[in-house]
């Protein structure tokens, strides 16, 4: 109790230096209303703004607004902002579990809709809490009403992502949704070795067919509660997942026989590899160009295993690409993968040391014969000329 008394006195002293008086509020001095709080669900933090004049009208100040009963953390206290009208108290805190100023994290599941209608469940994490007033009155009764300001942010965990427009070997994208952006960055990188240490550099003339391409999708800056699970990855000849030729590397548990899944739904990265191929429709071109796309979900640790059970998930061999319109905020173009359409040696190959060019040998022999004939002709002509003079 002594600690809280000290905290109250400290808060009042701080408030005395920066608090507003009721007379400063003018027309904004009124009873509190539910709409006095503004909530912004951001990429890595939640931002709250509470109108301070109704708080002062009720008998409190900004230092007596406590976020989720956390008294002793400076990062969880509100700051007065008088640069806006009406003035507000602002709270800003990260949305990582264990570091979100006491916010509650709740994950729920629901049937997939829209682009995710092929999947039996999608998950959403809800981050919520409450800002309460702390009454400094000491005694049996108080005339101050208790203030409660609730906030809630919903962050869907399923997103259509791919290795978007940065370079051939890697890229990243912040996950965005109408209700906010989740606390992760997903990135897809291409490698040339099974240890995932050598990024794949695309040759100008393309990869040889059957060259192994190693793919890794990683979630960084993500709370340990969630893992990465790939639902579908496919290649298409169009950088956008629209109506174009495509080839499924895997859809749910249906995996192409030449695609090898190394890790999926077990950690915050997923890995697989496949041999480079070409699209037959591009056979008349010098190279075959296509793009890799993955539908990726973040699943809670306790539920990832159920998503991976094939018997409990709806499957189909193809996905109607018309549902993947470019209007979707999760649709992004991918960089190109290039493969050679022919593996035959060039007919105009350069000479290699130690090898003999048969055409050169033939030409040399022909020139030698012609020179010999010319020499004989000169000798005959010289003898004939000598006889004529005699």
């Amino acid at each position: 109790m002594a600690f809280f008394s000290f905290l109250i006195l400290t808060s009042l002293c701080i408030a005395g230096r920066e608090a507003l008086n009721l007379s400063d509020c003018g027309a904004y001095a009124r009873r509190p209303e539910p709409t006095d709080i503004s909530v912004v669900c951001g990429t890595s933090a939640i931002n709250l703004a509470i109108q301070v004049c109704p708080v002062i009208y009720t008998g409190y100040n900004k230092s007596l607004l406590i976020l989720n009963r956390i008294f002793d953390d400076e990062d969880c206290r509100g700051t007065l902002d008088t640069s806006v009208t009406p003035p507000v108290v602002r709270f800003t805190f990260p949305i990582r579990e264990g570091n979100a100023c006491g916010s509650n994290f709740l994950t729920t599941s629901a049937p997939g809709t829209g682009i995710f209608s092929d999947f039996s469940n999608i998950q959403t994490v809800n981050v919520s809490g409450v800002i309460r007033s702390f009454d400094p009155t000491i005694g049996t009764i108080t005339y101050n009403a208790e203030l409660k300001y609730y906030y809630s942010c919903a962050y869907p965990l399923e997103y259509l992502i791919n290795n978007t427009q940065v370079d051939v070997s890697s890229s990243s994208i912040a996950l965005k949704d109408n209700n906010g952006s989740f606390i992760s960055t997903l990135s897809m990188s291409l490698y040339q070795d099974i240890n995932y240490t050598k990024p794949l550099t695309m040759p100008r003339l393309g990869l040889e067919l059957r060259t192994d391409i190693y793919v890794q999708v990683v979630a960084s800056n993500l709370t340990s509660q969630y893992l990465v699970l790939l639902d579908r990855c496919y290649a298409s000849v169009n950088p956008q997942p629209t109506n174009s030729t495509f080839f499924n590397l895997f859809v749910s548990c249906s995996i192409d026989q030449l695609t090898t899944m190394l890790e999926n739904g077990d950690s915050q990265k997923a890995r697989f590899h496949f041999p480079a191929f070409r699209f037959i429709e591009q056979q008349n071109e010098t190279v075959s160009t296509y793009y890799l796309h993955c539908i990726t979900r973040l699943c809670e640790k306790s539920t990832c295993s159920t998503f991976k059970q094939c018997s409990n998930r709806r499957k189909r061999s193809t996905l109607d690409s018309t549902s993947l319109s470019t209007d979707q905020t999760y649709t992004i173009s991918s960089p190109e993968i290039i493969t050679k359409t022919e593996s035959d040696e060039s007919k105009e190959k350069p000479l290699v040391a130690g090898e003999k060019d048969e055409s050169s040998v033939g030409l040399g022999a022909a020139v030698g014969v012609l020179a010999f004939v010319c020499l004989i002709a000169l000798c005959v002509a010289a003898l004939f000329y000598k006889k004529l003079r005699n």
Side-chain angles (χ1 to χ4, degrees):
M1 187 64 185
F3 170 76
F4 289 117
S5 298
F6 172 77
L7 178 64
I8 291 168
L9 291 174
T10 302
S11 298
L12 289 174
C13 290
I14 295 173
R17 291 197 302 269
E18 58 181 24
L20 293 176
N21 295 320
L22 194 60
S23 59
D24 297 326
C25 291
Y28 297 107
R30 55 168 174 76
R31 293 182 180 276
E33 298 176 356
T35 56
D36 287 344
I37 183 171
S38 171
V39 182
V40 177
C41 305
T43 303
S44 58
I46 292 176
N47 299 281
L48 311 176
I50 299 174
Q51 291 191 33
V52 71
C53 285
V55 174
I56 297 173
Y57 182 89
T58 310
Y60 302 99
N61 57 57
K62 71 96 180 172
S63 296
L64 295 177
L65 293 179
I66 308 300
L67 175 60
N68 294 321
R69 299 186 182 276
I70 296 181
F71 293 87
D72 56 349
D73 191 340
E74 285 286 345
D75 294 333
C76 299
R77 293 182 184 176
T79 58
L80 182 64
D81 183 1
T82 58
S83 65
V84 295
T85 303
V88 297
V89 178
R90 298 191 184 278
F91 294 82
T92 299
F93 52 90
I95 49 178
R96 297 185 186 88
E97 195 169 25
N99 189 29
C101 290
S103 299
N104 297 317
F105 284 69
L106 177 64
T107 303
T108 58
S109 297
T113 59
I115 189 174
F116 298 102
S117 59
D118 197 42
F119 310 119
S120 57
N121 285 289
I122 60 172
Q123 290 187 303
T124 299
V125 60
N126 186 277
V127 184
S128 62
V130 59
I131 297 174
R132 301 173 186 263
S133 58
F134 185 88
D135 193 340
T137 302
I138 300 174
T140 305
I141 65 169
T142 182
Y143 293 97
N144 298 329
E146 182 181 21
L147 300 180
K148 292 182 180 180
Y149 298 95
Y150 294 92
Y151 65 89
S152 176
C153 288
Y155 295 94
L157 299 181
E158 288 73 26
Y159 298 89
L160 174 67
I161 65 160
N162 52 35
N163 48 336
T164 184
Q165 306 162 341
V166 255
D167 56 52
V168 171
S169 58
S170 66
S171 65
S172 63
I173 170 178
L175 303 183
K176 295 184 178 180
D177 186 81
N178 294 334
N179 291 327
S181 300
F182 196 59
I183 51 179
S184 148
T185 297
L186 288 180
S187 62
M188 177 186 284
S189 302
L190 305 180
Y191 294 86
Q192 55 182 310
D193 66 313
I194 197 169
N195 295 321
Y196 289 84
T197 57
K198 300 176 182 178
L200 178 63
T201 301
M202 202 63 59
R204 184 176 60 85
L205 298 179
L207 296 169
E208 292 283 353
L209 293 172
R210 296 184 175 270
T211 299
D212 280 330
I213 299 175
Y214 295 87
V215 183
Q216 176 175 267
V217 177
V218 177
S220 58
N221 198 28
L222 176 67
T223 175
S224 60
Q225 183 180 357
Y226 300 99
L227 308 180
V228 171
L229 178 67
L230 304 181
D231 271 316
R232 178 191 182 217
C233 284
Y234 65 101
S236 72
V237 297
N238 196 302
Q240 300 290 337
T242 55
N243 285 328
S244 64
T245 302
F246 66 86
F247 172 71
N248 282 318
L249 298 171
F250 59 86
V251 179
S252 296
C253 298
S254 178
I255 303 177
D256 179 72
Q257 59 181 353
L258 295 182
T259 297
T260 302
M261 186 64 68
L262 300 175
E263 185 176 355
N264 194 22
D266 302 313
S267 68
Q268 294 189 350
K269 63 176 177 289
R271 289 175 168 179
F272 67 94
H273 67 86
F274 65 95
F277 54 84
R278 66 178 178 85
F279 279 92
I280 294 177
E281 71 177 47
Q282 297 176 337
Q283 62 185 347
N284 293 327
E285 301 178 15
T286 57
V287 296
S288 179
T289 302
Y290 49 91
Y291 306 83
L292 186 63
H293 311 276
C294 285
I295 294 177
T296 304
R297 73 166 75 226
L298 301 179
C299 55
E300 197 175 28
K301 270 186 177 179
S302 59
T303 60
C304 268
S305 58
T306 60
F307 287 122
K308 293 167 65 177
Q309 294 175 6
C310 300
S311 58
N312 294 334
R313 302 177 64 193
R314 287 179 287 163
K315 301 180 294 181
R316 63 183 180 183
S317 59
T318 60
L319 181 67
D320 181 9
S321 57
T322 59
S323 65
L324 305 177
S325 68
T326 54
D327 295 334
Q328 295 286 343
T329 55
Y330 314 128
T331 302
I332 313 170
S333 301
S334 72
E336 59 188 12
I337 295 175
I338 305 172
T339 58
K340 298 178 180 179
T341 56
E342 292 184 358
S343 59
D344 296 334
E345 295 182 359
S346 172
K347 295 179 181 179
E348 297 179 357
K349 68 174 183 176
L351 287 177
V352 179
E355 292 184 353
K356 295 182 178 180
D357 189 325
E358 295 180 0
S359 60
S360 297
V361 173
L363 179 60
V367 171
V369 171
L370 181 60
F372 181 74
V373 171
C374 291
L375 181 60
I376 293 176
L378 288 174
C379 292
V380 171
L383 289 173
F384 184 73
Y385 178 75
K386 187 176 180 181
K387 287 182 179 181
L388 287 177
R389 293 195 59 181
N390 295 332

